[in-house]
Amino acid sequence: MSEYYEILGVPRDADEGQIKKAYRKLAMQYHPDRNNGSGEAEERFKEISEAYEVLKDPKSRARYDQYGKEGVKGAGQGPFQGFDLHDAIEIFMRDFGGGGAGFEEVFGGGRRRSRGARSRKGETIRIRLSLTLSEVVHGARKKLRVKRLEPCSRCSATGSAEGTAPTPCGTCAGSGQERVAQRSVFGQFVALTTCRTCNGEGTVIQDPCRTCHGEGRARADAELEVEVPAGVTGENYITLRGQGNAGPRGGPAGDVMVLLEVEEDPRFIREGNHLLVDVPVTFAQAALGAEVSLPTVDGETQVEVPAGIQSGEALRIRGQGIPDLNGRGRGDLIARIRVWTPERLSSEQEQLFRELQDLEEPAPASGDRAEEFRDRRGFWSRIKEAFTA
Ligand SMILES: [Zn+2]
Ligand SMILES: [Zn+2]
């Protein structure tokens, strides 16, 4: 669990300042352009940048502390699946660069993927997907309708009208790059940055396509499928890589981010992978013991209520909760016993209760038995504490 902390060489209780300082120091050491493009240094640089990116944000750090890497990966397909050198460098320059665009060329001299293609990447589309509790328990394959931009078929995504072609950009002479002075932690550099006239494409469109007006992409309806693993919560999301908007003029497509929502099921309270359910029993059932039925996600089950159970005590039905997202078993169904007091008595019932009253001992208010009673009542809060710990 302490992997990210070890990578940065900071204690688990390090504050933001320590994390930032540790990362900065390591980044200076392993930045690929200080290591003659050594693959090992690149790997280390990616590692420390990923660790830094997770730990510097209190929210993702809390998820990481609780669930480890799975917690910051969404539903197994989260933000770091495609974490690459470019992302690492962007993180570094975002927090330690001088501000502005085109930083990677400060170090890279253009050997990384072209800035033009990057800037033409299509947008990520966010959509919400609502799930029932049963779908959470079993996992589900769901269809999604999305409106997105797809490559324009009229101009084959070039953006140019039929029979015409884009011409080289006059500002950058087709290179897609301009020279500007940049400041970074390593000092002042003359950096190559993306040409603002052509946005790094190196070409400009003289006669735009009538359908897409030079964008090279057009609106379309699409149906996507998403596989939702069992055990998700409303905090998870699923990334469908390359299923978002097409980039302009043949640029790579963005992603679809599926934000999950779990519908309330009035029968249950969810605590992590456990499900809590209230089970009403009568005085007689509580005193004598009984077999009662209680709801499960898919139907019902029977539970043996032991004689002498107190109102508020809980029974645990193992393995009837929600499967763990990471395959570590399944949660429990916790039945909280609620002794139900009759609100209207028939004369016969009243008669019997009066006879019972004459026979029964008073409820303990002090002494050992009262202590025991309080202890048993506390069981429920201890369970809740255990869940939230
Ligand atoms: Zn077109
Ligand atoms: Zn240009």
Side-chain angles (χ1 to χ4, degrees):
M1 283 286 271
S2 60
E3 212 179 313
Y4 281 154
Y5 293 95
E6 277 163 23
I7 287 169
L8 291 182
V10 294
R12 284 189 73 90
D13 59 355
D15 62 26
E16 258 181 86
Q18 281 173 283
I19 287 167
K20 206 166 172 175
K21 204 171 149 200
Y23 171 66
R24 185 180 192 276
K25 189 161 169 262
L26 290 167
M28 302 283 272
Q29 188 180 343
Y30 292 108
H31 197 289
D33 293 295
R34 303 199 123 193
N35 292 275
N36 300 313
S38 144
E40 212 174 303
E42 276 194 18
E43 281 310 306
R44 282 285 282 153
F45 187 67
K46 279 191 282 186
E47 259 179 24
I48 57 172
S49 301
E50 183 179 325
Y52 169 69
E53 185 67 356
V54 169
L55 297 184
K56 73 179 265 288
D57 174 50
K59 267 196 191 156
S60 60
R61 183 177 176 181
R63 277 202 304 276
Y64 175 72
D65 287 344
Q66 193 169 3
Y67 304 111
K69 280 195 182 177
E70 295 304 318
V72 289
K73 271 168 57 179
Q77 311 181 37
F80 292 120
Q81 195 189 38
F83 197 92
D84 61 15
L85 187 62
H86 186 99
D87 297 320
I89 288 169
E90 275 198 347
I91 285 165
F92 175 70
M93 292 313 283
R94 178 196 64 206
D95 290 2
F96 299 98
F103 290 117
E104 75 261 50
E105 276 81 20
V106 170
F107 307 100
R111 67 185 161 80
R112 276 180 275 280
R113 81 174 84 146
S114 112
R115 185 74 201 170
R118 182 88 183 179
S119 64
R120 277 188 313 172
K121 191 171 186 208
E123 301 82 3
T124 291
I125 300 171
R126 285 173 181 74
I127 40 178
R128 295 184 182 281
L129 174 63
S130 188
L131 301 167
T132 64
L133 195 57
S134 175
E135 286 170 329
V136 168
V137 167
H138 300 291
R141 175 176 282 270
K142 303 281 280 184
K143 287 196 191 316
L144 298 169
R145 294 197 157 279
V146 290
K147 285 190 185 304
R148 65 179 180 186
L149 295 166
E150 292 184 357
C152 173
S153 52
R154 184 165 179 184
C155 62
S156 306
T158 62
S160 289
E162 283 148 281
T164 73
T167 54
C169 168
T171 308
C172 62
S175 72
Q177 295 176 319
E178 286 182 272
R179 285 180 179 281
V180 289
Q182 294 279 4
R183 253 173 52 77
S184 85
V185 286
F186 300 129
Q188 178 99 11
F189 290 82
V190 174
L192 289 174
T193 188
T194 307
C195 169
R196 277 157 292 185
T197 306
C198 64
N199 201 24
E201 291 177 45
T203 53
V204 287
I205 287 169
Q206 301 292 357
D207 188 6
C209 164
R210 310 293 177 265
T211 301
C212 65
H213 310 290
E215 269 280 285
R217 53 184 187 165
R219 291 222 152 270
D221 288 311
E223 192 175 78
L224 307 177
E225 271 201 341
V226 58
E227 190 75 47
V228 182
V232 293
T233 71
E235 291 191 350
N236 292 123
Y237 59 90
I238 296 172
T239 304
L240 304 174
R241 299 237 169 246
Q243 301 285 325
N245 283 337
R249 291 170 294 283
D255 303 329
V256 167
M257 216 172 147
V258 184
L259 308 169
L260 302 180
E261 282 174 356
V262 181
E263 291 164 23
E264 280 280 308
D265 187 319
R267 298 171 302 169
F268 303 104
I269 300 168
R270 182 175 179 179
E271 290 276 0
N273 291 332
H274 299 297
L275 291 174
L276 317 184
V277 61
D278 274 326
V279 179
V281 297
T282 63
F283 283 152
Q285 285 175 320
L288 303 172
E291 188 172 278
V292 298
S293 68
L294 66 160
T296 62
V297 172
D298 297 310
E300 52 179 46
T301 188
Q302 304 290 311
V303 66
E304 197 68 43
V305 176
I309 198 160
Q310 297 295 348
S311 196
E313 271 192 72
L315 302 171
R316 184 184 289 262
I317 299 100
R318 294 212 176 265
Q320 292 286 318
I322 295 170
D324 184 79
L325 180 58
N326 302 311
R328 288 190 281 265
R330 192 169 166 172
D332 303 328
L333 180 64
I334 310 285
R336 174 164 54 172
I337 300 300
R338 284 283 166 93
V339 174
W340 179 74
T341 308
E343 288 158 346
R344 229 167 294 150
L345 297 174
S346 69
S347 54
E348 196 183 352
Q349 286 170 331
E350 192 181 335
Q351 179 58 35
L352 285 168
F353 271 118
R354 287 197 188 286
E355 284 174 33
L356 180 63
Q357 196 175 34
D358 292 338
L359 292 172
E360 70 189 0
E361 293 165 31
S366 62
D368 286 354
R369 292 210 49 224
E371 278 303 310
E372 192 192 323
F373 177 65
R374 265 196 293 278
D375 269 4
R376 296 175 79 176
R377 288 295 302 247
F379 176 64
W380 178 250
S381 39
R382 286 201 305 278
I383 286 179
K384 288 206 76 164
E385 272 166 28
F387 289 158
T388 49

